[in-house]
Amino acid sequence: ILNVEQSPQSLHVQEGDSTNFTCSFPSSNFYALHWYRWETAKSPEALFVMTLNGDEKKKGRISATLNTKEGYSYLYIKGSQPEDSATYLCASLTDKLIFGTGTRLQVFP
Amino acid sequence: EAGVAQSPRYKIIEKRQSVAFWCNPISGHATLYWYQQILGQGPKLLIQFQNNGVVDDSQLPKDRFSAERLKGVDSTLKIQPAKLEDSAVYLCASSLFTGIMETQYFGPGTRLLVL
């Protein structure tokens, strides 16, 4: 993998559903993996920064895992709420921060 | 604490015109970044400053883009002359230092449309 790739591109879920997205990144020259949430018309907000293989981070209903050996990270949202609707960006830090194209999440009431 | 400020929020210009964007980072943050996000793509780093020095400008199209951070605080990014493909969101971010675990704090961005 040469670029940072995210899947799916977009996701529509019902309120209360749990969901997860994938971020794939080059495993060579890897320093850290960042997750951001970007709501429309607002600033991207940092969620997590992870560096170690097997790292798991949690913030409320959102959690993330990291596998540096195979080059992927999962972001989980438990019991999605309408206010979780946003684009979720991951970025891999090598010599600079390389962003994926994001997963656009829409949560319907 | 106040966040990263950017202005203007929106700008519409015609091709070949010039445009400038302004960014004021979080107070005390030594590192400042400018990113370009074209629709359907992830943000791409244009330039990184450490205080008033350039750390990385390898992806800045220097024939038309310029940026400065003269006093090591706020920064301006200029495009002269603009092309249609410059239509994008221009994001400014800052961080306390440059480090592996350092979080970048983003401003709301400037949405540029070149007609």
Side-chain angles (χ1 to χ4, degrees):
Chain A
I1 299 173
L2 298 178
N3 296 315
V4 177
E5 297 173 357
Q6 292 188 246
S7 63
Q9 275 193 332
S10 64
L11 200 52
H12 299 85
V13 302
Q14 287 293 128
E15 181 176 357
D17 287 350
S18 293
T19 187
N20 65 84
F21 332 128
T22 304
C23 173
S24 301
F25 55 89
S27 51
S28 59
N29 298 322
F30 170 83
Y31 291 114
L33 195 285
H34 294 233
W35 279 101
Y36 286 86
R37 175 172 62 199
W38 193 359
E39 294 180 63
T40 302
K42 294 188 177 179
S43 305
E45 173 198 355
L47 291 174
F48 306 113
V49 180
M50 297 185 288
T51 59
L52 300 175
N53 186 45
D55 228 355
E56 290 188 32
K57 298 253 176 153
K58 188 173 180 183
K59 186 177 183 178
R61 294 177 292 99
I62 304 177
S63 60
T65 61
L66 179 67
N67 183 321
T68 60
K69 292 182 179 179
E70 296 182 39
Y72 65 83
S73 175
Y74 294 137
L75 187 81
Y76 301 91
I77 303 179
K78 185 177 177 183
S80 302
Q81 300 296 308
E83 58 265 29
D84 296 328
S85 297
T87 295
Y88 291 81
L89 290 165
C90 72
S92 172
L93 179 66
T94 54
D95 62 332
K96 57 174 69 69
L97 210 52
I98 308 295
F99 280 86
T101 54
T103 292
R104 187 174 182 138
L105 173 67
Q106 188 78 32
V107 183
F108 294 103
Chain B
E1 115 190 309
V4 176
Q6 288 189 248
S7 68
R9 292 294 305 273
Y10 305 93
K11 190 74 178 179
I12 301 175
I13 62 173
E14 294 187 349
K15 61 183 179 185
R16 291 188 288 274
Q17 285 188 319
S18 301
V19 66
F21 313 130
W22 174 81
C23 171
N24 192 23
I26 292 173
S27 177
H29 279 197
T31 311
L32 186 147
Y33 313 81
W34 282 103
Y35 288 88
Q36 178 194 57
Q37 196 221 8
I38 293 171
L39 190 65
Q41 300 179 19
K44 180 183 83 171
L45 179 70
L46 292 176
I47 190 166
Q48 177 183 340
F49 291 97
Q50 181 75 16
N51 297 308
N52 60 351
V54 175
V55 173
D56 185 347
D57 63 357
S58 58
Q59 299 187 111
L60 186 75
K62 298 180 187 66
D63 57 333
R64 297 183 302 106
F65 286 65
S66 64
E68 58 183 15
R69 192 184 185 201
L70 290 174
K71 295 181 180 179
V73 181
D74 57 349
S75 175
T76 54
L77 176 70
K78 296 179 182 177
I79 308 175
Q80 181 178 8
K83 292 185 176 181
L84 297 177
E85 58 261 35
D86 298 331
S87 295
V89 176
Y90 291 85
L91 291 163
C92 178
S94 71
S95 61
L96 196 57
F97 300 112
T98 303
I100 293 172
M101 290 297 291
E102 207 62 43
T103 294
Q104 294 184 23
Y105 296 87
F106 283 84
T110 296
R111 292 181 184 275
L112 173 68
L113 180 60
V114 182
L115 301 175

